[in-house]
Amino acid sequence: MGYKQRLGLLVSVDSLIVVFSIYFGYWLLVSTTNMFPTAIIVSSIALFIAHHVFAHLFKLYKRVWQYASIQELLAIFAAVSLSVAAVGVIQLIGYQTVFARTLLVTWMLHILLIGASRFSWRMYRDAKMKGNKDKKRTLIIGAGNGGSLVARQLMNSERSELYPVAFIDDDFTKQNLEIMSIPVIGRTKDIGEVVKSKNIEHVIIAIPSMTKSELNQIFTECSKTKVKTQIMPSVEDIMSGRVSVNQIRDVQVEDLLGREPVELDTKQIGQKLTGSTVLVTGAGGSIGSEICRQVCAFEPEKLILVGHGENSIYSIEMELKGTFPHIQLETEIADVQDAIRIKSVMKKYYPNVVYHAAAHKHVPLMEKNPHEAVKNNVIGTKNTAVAADEAGVASFVMVSTDKAVNPTSVMGATKRIAEMVVQHMDMVSETKFVAVRFGNVLGSRGSVIPLFKKQIEAGGPVTVTDPEMTRYFMTIPEASRLVLQAGSLAEGGEVFVLDMGEPVKIVDLAKNLIRLSGFSEDEIEIKYSGMRPGEKLFEELLGKDEVHDEQIYPMIYRGKTPSVNVDVVYELIHQFESYPKTNLRERTLDIAHFRLTTAKSLSLVK
């Protein structure tokens, strides 16, 4: 129905209701009212005109009544009340009296009939949607504001495949009540029973303010039902504008970490980055590219993307140009192992802040290729740090790893030595040099999540090295936030660490991912392959001699700065660099010594 036809229908219906209301009210009270025929005619004309005037002012002819709610009811109440009041004023002026009982009955009939004529549209739509057998019966967990918004969205959307039939909520005061005619019929522990008794085909978790541990508990109950489970966005995502409240999504393994995300001190970071020139090495990698995204949010004057792989640098450059077209981007294809090239890049742009994310990080691969680990992680860091010093950079932040604590692998040893290089540079330079240690980063290249997903897609088995192996985990955005926050907190020489909560068993992560993929452990087998060379069973974030008990910032700790025997470190670096490039055997043997001396802390830390 077009707008003109719809308007004509509503005006005609309202006109009949107005005339009927006042004449029927008069008829009901004819034996007791002193209202005479002339007054009833004048009053009916006045009510007719007043109604259409106020109906126009309150937009009763422009509202979509299929979705009528309390706001539409209030608009009807206001328009009808003011219309009847206007008639009362005219009666008082024209007849020096107000026929109150007649107007009261007219007012009640008017509201009743106008409301019925409008809300019947919604009642028809609701009945039609309830009768739609194609929609999936949906259980909403959370009967608060979030759950109500989701329920309303689903009920108002003809395109949605879902229709809410029940709520679950742990608030005992809501039990056995109804919200929008949808019953609250249980608590979290009752999810399995409700899914079975109500023939639930879909579950939506709609508690945006819940903690990670609460979500983990709820999802554990949902996963027992084998019904598809989705989640409402978090308060953080909604408030930041990244998503809207009705953008329901699948539960991700990141949601189940059991730790609340680190928040940024945006004012402090903005003081460092806004209007500055920022350089990121390894800008095409998982961490480096996310650092670039988050740096851009602080409006730097210029961002320099440095990386060795042209495809990854091109990809992040195109993404940032589309998202932040007003920020000046520069790309440099350069290898941090090339000292001359890195120095030329630094002196070309003279950045204020450098984030050094370029590194080799895959533990088993670096065990097989130790010379490459040293070239990239140690010598590359030294080259970049020296170049930053010579270019007068204000802050230099190096991305490190928890594997640098009491290292047992080549990768961990090279990152610990890189930390020592950075700490020494802080002693001899006006640049503030700091390092930031992460745990494992979910979803980054080489992490277990992509591997597990591929194995699940192939039907299994999912391979886990050891049933007791645990790791600290964080998401890529969290890791990148820590880098930015560390740069703003830097006084020089520190090692910053995120309070990452309790470590997670790799096997539990695998089980969660299997359930999130819609399978059970009976369908996808988990096999244990044994620990690989260089791996630890448990990771540490700070050594015993590095721990400061107090947090420097919520969820961020600052490690102590142990004295570094620079002579030993640089002598080993010099020996490595002085070997002929073709003589990799001797160089590799030297790196083995390099790793052992670091792991056993032989003279590297006084």
Side-chain angles (χ1 to χ4, degrees):
M1 184 185 299
Y3 174 72
K4 290 184 178 180
Q5 292 87 347
R6 184 176 178 278
L7 177 63
L9 176 62
L10 288 174
V11 169
S12 300
V13 169
D14 282 9
S15 300
L16 291 173
I17 289 173
V18 166
V19 174
F20 174 81
S21 297
I22 194 164
Y23 279 100
F24 189 71
Y26 172 75
W27 177 78
L28 286 175
L29 300 172
V30 68
S31 59
T32 59
T33 184
N34 57 352
M35 194 174 185
F36 42 89
T38 307
I40 188 64
I41 294 172
V42 171
S43 296
S44 64
I45 294 172
L47 184 60
F48 183 89
I49 295 171
H51 171 82
H52 290 302
V53 169
F54 286 111
H56 173 73
L57 291 176
F58 287 95
K59 299 181 180 179
L60 296 190
Y61 299 137
K62 290 189 175 182
R63 295 178 183 266
V64 181
W65 294 101
Q66 293 99 311
Y67 309 118
S69 62
I70 189 67
Q71 290 183 331
E72 282 69 31
L73 184 61
L74 290 174
I76 291 173
F77 178 84
V80 172
S81 298
L82 289 173
S83 300
V84 173
V87 173
V89 171
I90 290 173
Q91 289 178 350
L92 184 62
I93 294 172
Y95 301 101
Q96 287 74 51
T97 186
V98 175
F99 304 103
R101 286 186 296 174
T102 304
L103 288 182
L104 179 61
V105 173
T106 300
W107 176 79
M108 290 189 292
L109 287 169
H110 199 166
I111 282 186
L112 177 64
L113 295 173
I114 291 291
S117 69
R118 298 303 197 274
F119 278 84
S120 60
W121 293 33
R122 173 169 176 173
M123 292 169 64
Y124 169 75
R125 181 190 60 83
D126 288 350
K128 181 180 177 182
M129 291 184 69
K130 281 185 179 180
N132 191 336
K133 303 299 183 181
D134 296 331
K135 290 183 177 289
K136 295 180 180 179
R137 296 172 61 82
T138 301
L139 173 67
I140 299 176
I141 301 176
N145 292 333
S148 300
L149 286 170
V150 170
R152 188 180 303 280
Q153 176 68 22
L154 296 180
M155 294 172 70
N156 289 344
S157 174
E158 294 184 5
R159 294 182 179 179
S160 173
E161 298 179 350
L162 312 176
Y163 192 82
V165 297
F167 282 107
I168 286 283
D169 200 290
D170 285 332
D171 185 350
F172 73 94
T173 63
K174 294 178 181 176
Q175 299 302 312
N176 302 315
L177 300 180
E178 290 191 356
I179 299 172
M180 294 179 288
S181 300
I182 304 171
V184 181
I185 57 174
R187 304 182 184 182
T188 300
K189 62 182 179 64
D190 304 316
I191 289 174
E193 183 182 337
V194 172
V195 166
K196 184 180 293 185
S197 63
K198 291 290 183 180
N199 297 318
I200 299 298
E201 302 170 273
H202 200 98
V203 175
I204 295 176
I205 302 172
I207 315 174
S209 59
M210 68 184 157
T211 63
K212 299 273 184 160
S213 58
E214 289 171 337
L215 172 59
N216 214 328
Q217 179 185 354
I218 292 171
F219 180 76
T220 299
E221 293 297 322
C222 292
S223 64
K224 296 175 183 177
T225 67
K226 298 186 180 180
V227 172
K228 183 174 177 61
T229 301
Q230 292 188 297
I231 188 172
M232 181 182 185
S234 66
V235 170
E236 178 190 12
D237 289 337
I238 295 169
M239 295 300 292
S240 66
R242 289 194 290 268
V243 297
S244 64
V245 72
N246 60 356
Q247 285 183 295
I248 307 302
R249 62 173 175 81
D250 291 341
V251 180
Q252 303 293 331
V253 70
E254 291 89 342
D255 298 319
L256 306 177
L257 283 179
R259 187 195 66 256
E260 301 312 301
V262 62
E263 299 293 336
L264 292 178
D265 183 346
T266 54
K267 182 178 180 181
Q268 189 176 27
I269 296 173
Q271 291 174 351
K272 292 275 186 179
L273 300 183
T274 303
S276 299
T277 297
V278 180
L279 184 146
V280 180
T281 68
S286 305
I287 300 299
S289 60
E290 181 63 23
I291 290 173
C292 292
R293 294 182 191 99
Q294 297 204 24
V295 164
C296 285
F298 290 94
E299 305 288 334
E301 180 181 347
K302 187 183 297 182
L303 176 61
I304 299 97
L305 313 176
V306 179
H308 194 210
E310 61 175 3
N311 292 330
S312 58
I313 290 295
Y314 174 78
S315 178
I316 186 63
E317 179 192 21
M318 290 299 100
E319 178 188 331
L320 294 177
K321 281 184 176 180
T323 310
F324 305 97
H326 56 290
I327 293 177
Q328 183 180 347
L329 298 176
E330 301 288 348
T331 55
E332 295 287 344
I333 303 301
D335 190 341
V336 292
Q337 299 175 37
D338 186 340
I340 296 174
R341 173 67 175 137
I342 291 299
K343 285 182 181 180
S344 69
V345 171
M346 289 284 185
K347 291 183 178 180
K348 180 178 179 180
Y349 299 104
Y350 288 98
N352 305 102
V353 180
V354 171
Y355 295 108
H356 178 51
H360 286 325
K361 61 181 182 179
H362 199 280
V363 172
L365 279 178
M366 292 306 101
E367 289 297 307
K368 296 178 180 178
N369 301 276
H371 44 282
E372 293 300 323
V374 175
K375 283 164 59 179
N376 209 44
N377 295 354
V378 178
I379 296 175
T381 297
K382 186 199 74 169
N383 292 342
T384 310
V386 169
D389 169 53
E390 293 181 1
V393 171
S395 297
F396 180 102
V397 183
M398 170 201 159
V399 174
S400 190
T401 171
D402 55 1
K403 293 172 179 60
V405 182
N406 298 321
T408 58
S409 65
V410 168
M411 195 280 279
T414 55
K415 293 300 281 187
R416 177 65 188 117
I417 294 166
E419 288 180 357
M420 294 175 177
V421 170
V422 166
Q423 289 173 320
H424 172 252
M425 287 299 301
D426 184 72
M427 299 176 189
V428 299
S429 171
E430 294 184 3
T431 300
K432 292 180 180 178
F433 286 89
V434 298
V436 186
R437 283 183 190 159
F438 301 149
N440 289 262
V441 180
L442 288 173
S444 63
R445 296 174 190 170
S447 71
V448 294
I449 299 302
L451 173 62
F452 286 170
K453 286 182 177 178
K454 285 184 179 179
Q455 291 175 336
I456 292 169
E457 287 173 3
V462 173
T463 56
V464 177
T465 53
D466 190 284
E468 296 302 317
M469 181 169 283
T470 63
R471 291 291 182 266
Y472 292 98
F473 282 101
M474 63 168 61
T475 64
I476 293 175
E478 281 182 299
S480 303
R481 289 173 194 156
L482 178 58
V483 174
L484 300 190
Q485 194 68 66
S488 69
L489 296 169
E491 295 179 2
E494 303 98 332
V495 175
F496 291 99
V497 179
L498 175 65
D499 178 4
M500 300 176 67
E502 295 299 318
V504 177
K505 281 190 174 183
I506 301 296
V507 67
D508 291 341
L509 195 67
K511 290 176 181 177
N512 278 333
L513 202 57
I514 289 170
R515 292 199 298 264
L516 287 170
S517 301
F519 298 101
S520 68
E521 292 170 46
D522 295 331
E523 296 171 296
I524 302 291
E525 181 186 4
I526 294 177
K527 279 191 174 181
Y528 298 104
S529 59
M531 290 176 60
R532 298 173 296 181
E535 284 190 322
K536 289 182 180 180
L537 201 57
F538 310 102
E539 295 289 4
E540 306 164 89
L541 291 173
L542 285 170
K544 291 181 180 179
D545 60 342
E546 298 178 302
V547 178
H548 274 299
D549 292 333
E550 73 281 0
Q551 294 183 349
I552 187 175
Y553 183 82
M555 298 182 72
I556 297 179
Y557 288 92
R558 178 174 58 190
K560 295 177 183 177
T561 308
S563 299
V564 176
N565 192 327
V566 181
D567 294 337
V568 174
V569 174
Y570 278 92
E571 176 61 26
L572 288 171
I573 293 174
H574 174 71
Q575 290 176 12
F576 181 90
E577 290 180 313
S578 64
Y579 281 131
K581 291 184 178 179
T582 56
N583 199 349
L584 292 181
R585 176 174 173 77
E586 287 78 3
R587 192 186 331 208
T588 302
L589 291 174
D590 191 59
I591 299 317
H593 173 67
F594 207 96
R595 178 181 66 186
L596 288 172
T597 54
T598 306
K600 296 177 181 179
S601 301
L602 297 178
S603 304
L604 289 182
V605 180
K606 290 181 180 177

